[in-house]
Amino acid sequence: MSIELFGLKGIPLVKEGDNIADLILNALKEQGETLQHGDIILVAETLVSKSEGNVIKLGDILPSEDAILIAKKSKKDSKLVEAIIQEAREVVEVGPDFVITETKQGFVCANSGIDESNVGDGLATPVPENADLSAKKIREQLEKETGEELAVIVTDTQGRAFRVGAVGVALGCSGIDPLWKRKGEKDLYGRELQTTEVATADELAASASLIQGQADEGLPVVIIRGFSAFDTLRNEDSDIHPLLRPKEFDVFRN
Amino acid sequence: MSIELFGLKGIPLVKEGDNIADLILNALKEQGETLQHGDIILVAETLVSKSEGNVIKLGDILPSEDAILIAKKSKKDSKLVEAIIQEAREVVEVGPDFVITETKQGFVCANSGIDESNVGDGLATPVPENADLSAKKIREQLEKETGEELAVIVTDTQGRAFRVGAVGVALGCSGIDPLWKRKGEKDLYGRELQTTEVATADELAASASLIQGQADEGLPVVIIRGFSAFDTLRNEDSDIHPLLRPKEFDVFRN
């Protein structure tokens, strides 16, 4: 069994109103590639937020008293902290050099996922308003124009508890279930599996991150071809929620 | 830029004393493949523990009073809990259906990483005693016999805080740095990067997990070919420790 990952060259710097599916199709054409059944298209969230005009002008923000306090504690800019608070449902932890929140969308991550890389000076991109819907729109257009069954995952890079370093994670998912429930399947010795739920969309996002990089690679779209569980996980109505652990079940928040 | 991942067919059920590098070389030969400069070889930890005779016979274990108490609280078998305690430096959290510990090696994970899948009945495999050393031995033999610069990563599948579902992670690493420090590099707009530390070994392990699977796939060894940062990260003395966040810096443990 083998899987191929490749980055799309020639995706331009995206601006508000750009159609990401069009950009992907054009880049594929220039690369002499066409999409195939089961291809998974991973799109960096910055691309999505910028195309949706979801960009924060930090200079325009008036920090609240809360933001000023948290800015002092976290040694972050108070305007950025106000933006973080506005994107959050709850502030989970504040420490020197970090603010961890639960975003409006339910992601627990640093800085509400607000990113100051790969966007113009004085600007920042929050996570997409509804990355599932963004993924769905891209997938539906790509499927319509190619006639193939595909999946689209909107990706971010986030830190973790207990381990150092950021990894690629999925923010939105369309076309396949993000969680592979394998309960009842057997191991090599015929015993029932213990690890029965695999966060497949996060593993796909982590894989894509090896190519997307974090710097000036300019490869924000990656295609994963040959993932053998595509048909098993196919779901036209999927979204990211199976990967989000509700607060009441999260031992590290209670 | 493209990356290829492929699983090695024909790796047999491993027993104590088996030489994993030999098994890999034989399987490659049967597949008509040879290793190339920069190939990263990902080996499932169960394979390593079994070859090292590092297998727990659950029936032989006499549970301590602590184990009996934790077993009641976590609804787990008291012999398994005793094994979990013996592999742990500290019990981090106990709840209905889970015991999270810091292992002797410094990994914070469920059940001290003890795995009851893909091992004979009544047996369980802990994480390898020293997965860095296991990876190093495999790498050195593979490099010697092929003449190529390679990396070996010992992988596991673990759950996470905040997100549902397990993902592939690295337990041991040899030949490349597990953490990619990118401080000072620039983004597409020439601004200094924010996310400056990427847990590359974990992203590689998550990628391999897409092929290794969790069930009866029988593909515990995966080769990743074409990872462009191999030369940048090349380090003959690397180990996993850069990925382990010390307790005193972990906000979710204090």
Side-chain angles (χ1 to χ4, degrees):
Chain A
M1 196 212 294
S2 71
I3 293 176
E4 187 197 356
L5 293 89
F6 58 94
L8 288 193
K9 281 170 270 183
I11 299 278
L13 292 178
V14 166
K15 51 187 192 309
E16 183 170 355
D18 282 347
N19 179 309
I20 292 181
D22 285 346
L23 297 179
I24 291 171
L25 290 165
N26 287 341
L28 281 162
K29 206 171 168 187
E30 293 204 9
Q31 223 159 308
E33 275 287 353
T34 47
L35 292 175
Q36 301 178 5
H37 172 87
D39 278 353
I40 300 165
I41 298 101
L42 296 103
V43 183
E45 55 103 15
T46 308
L47 212 65
V48 173
S49 287
K50 285 196 286 187
S51 77
E52 294 175 353
N54 189 9
V55 174
I56 300 166
K57 289 180 192 164
L58 293 172
D60 292 355
I61 288 177
L62 196 68
S64 61
E65 277 181 41
D66 274 0
I68 291 166
L69 278 171
I70 293 174
K72 203 168 271 180
K73 198 171 166 194
S74 63
K75 293 175 190 132
K76 288 191 173 289
D77 176 75
S78 60
K79 287 170 189 283
L80 176 62
V81 172
E82 179 60 34
I84 292 170
I85 292 174
Q86 285 179 16
E87 291 294 319
R89 196 184 273 174
E90 184 184 336
V91 176
V92 176
E93 288 282 355
V94 179
D97 206 32
F98 66 84
V99 180
I100 295 167
T101 64
E102 178 178 335
T103 70
K104 292 182 289 189
Q105 297 86 353
F107 302 109
V108 177
C109 59
N111 307 329
S112 298
I114 292 176
D115 200 338
E116 292 180 273
S117 294
N118 288 318
V119 66
D121 218 24
L123 303 177
T125 49
V127 296
E129 277 290 327
N130 181 342
D132 289 319
L133 186 60
S134 310
K136 187 166 191 263
K137 283 183 187 164
I138 297 169
R139 178 179 68 85
E140 287 181 342
Q141 186 182 340
L142 293 177
E143 289 191 343
K144 198 175 161 199
E145 301 201 19
T146 64
E148 303 290 352
E149 286 186 343
L150 308 165
V152 172
I153 294 174
V154 175
T155 67
D156 193 9
T157 308
Q158 297 182 353
R160 297 118 0 122
F162 314 132
R163 289 178 82 90
V164 176
V167 294
V169 295
L171 294 182
C173 181
S174 179
I176 54 170
D177 282 322
L179 188 68
W180 192 359
K181 295 182 181 178
R182 308 194 66 178
K183 200 171 164 60
E185 291 185 55
K186 299 284 193 286
D187 69 11
L188 285 167
Y189 294 76
R191 289 164 72 183
E192 202 161 297
L193 285 185
Q194 284 194 291
T195 304
T196 51
E197 297 197 325
V198 180
T200 302
D202 283 337
E203 293 191 328
L204 291 162
S207 311
S209 169
L210 294 169
I211 289 184
Q212 288 168 326
Q214 298 303 315
D216 60 353
E217 279 88 348
L219 295 170
V221 179
V222 170
I223 313 291
I224 297 185
R225 179 165 292 166
F227 178 49
S228 64
F230 178 87
D231 291 325
T232 306
L233 296 173
R234 176 68 178 169
N235 177 356
E236 293 199 53
D237 298 315
S238 68
D239 62 42
I240 204 66
H241 291 94
L243 291 192
L244 305 184
R245 180 171 289 140
K247 183 178 176 181
E248 60 268 33
F249 297 118
D250 203 312
V251 58
F252 295 103
R253 293 183 66 187
N254 289 305
Chain B
M1 196 212 296
S2 72
I3 293 176
E4 187 197 355
L5 293 90
F6 58 94
L8 288 193
K9 282 171 268 183
I11 299 279
L13 291 178
V14 167
K15 52 188 191 309
E16 183 170 355
D18 282 348
N19 179 308
I20 292 181
D22 284 346
L23 298 179
I24 290 170
L25 290 165
N26 287 340
L28 281 162
K29 206 171 167 185
E30 292 204 8
Q31 223 159 308
E33 274 287 353
T34 47
L35 292 175
Q36 301 179 5
H37 172 87
D39 279 354
I40 301 164
I41 298 101
L42 296 102
V43 183
E45 55 103 15
T46 309
L47 213 64
V48 173
S49 288
K50 285 196 285 188
S51 76
E52 293 175 353
N54 190 9
V55 175
I56 300 166
K57 290 181 189 161
L58 292 172
D60 292 356
I61 287 176
L62 197 67
S64 61
E65 277 182 41
D66 274 0
I68 291 166
L69 278 172
I70 292 174
K72 202 168 272 179
K73 198 171 167 194
S74 63
K75 291 175 190 136
K76 288 192 173 290
D77 176 74
S78 59
K79 288 170 188 283
L80 177 62
V81 171
E82 180 60 33
I84 292 169
I85 291 174
Q86 286 180 16
E87 292 293 320
R89 195 184 273 173
E90 184 185 336
V91 176
V92 177
E93 288 281 354
V94 179
D97 206 32
F98 66 84
V99 180
I100 295 167
T101 64
E102 179 178 335
T103 70
K104 292 181 289 189
Q105 296 87 351
F107 301 109
V108 177
C109 59
N111 307 329
S112 298
I114 293 176
D115 200 338
E116 291 181 274
S117 295
N118 289 317
V119 66
D121 219 23
L123 302 176
T125 49
V127 296
E129 276 291 327
N130 182 339
D132 289 320
L133 187 60
S134 311
K136 188 166 190 262
K137 283 183 186 163
I138 298 168
R139 179 178 67 86
E140 286 182 342
Q141 187 182 339
L142 292 177
E143 288 191 343
K144 199 176 160 199
E145 300 201 19
T146 63
E148 302 290 355
E149 286 187 343
L150 308 165
V152 172
I153 294 173
V154 175
T155 66
D156 193 8
T157 309
Q158 296 181 353
R160 297 115 5 119
F162 314 131
R163 288 177 83 90
V164 176
V167 294
V169 295
L171 294 183
C173 179
S174 179
I176 54 170
D177 282 322
L179 188 68
W180 192 359
K181 295 182 181 177
R182 308 194 67 178
K183 199 171 164 60
E185 291 186 54
K186 299 283 193 289
D187 70 11
L188 284 167
Y189 294 77
R191 289 164 72 182
E192 203 160 297
L193 284 185
Q194 284 194 292
T195 305
T196 52
E197 297 197 325
V198 180
T200 302
D202 283 336
E203 293 191 329
L204 290 162
S207 311
S209 169
L210 294 169
I211 288 184
Q212 289 168 325
Q214 298 305 314
D216 60 352
E217 279 88 349
L219 294 171
V221 179
V222 170
I223 314 290
I224 297 184
R225 180 166 290 166
F227 178 50
S228 63
F230 178 88
D231 291 324
T232 305
L233 296 173
R234 178 67 178 170
N235 178 356
E236 293 199 53
D237 299 315
S238 67
D239 62 41
I240 203 68
H241 291 94
L243 291 192
L244 304 185
R245 180 172 289 141
K247 183 178 175 180
E248 61 267 34
F249 297 117
D250 203 313
V251 58
F252 295 103
R253 294 182 66 188
N254 288 305

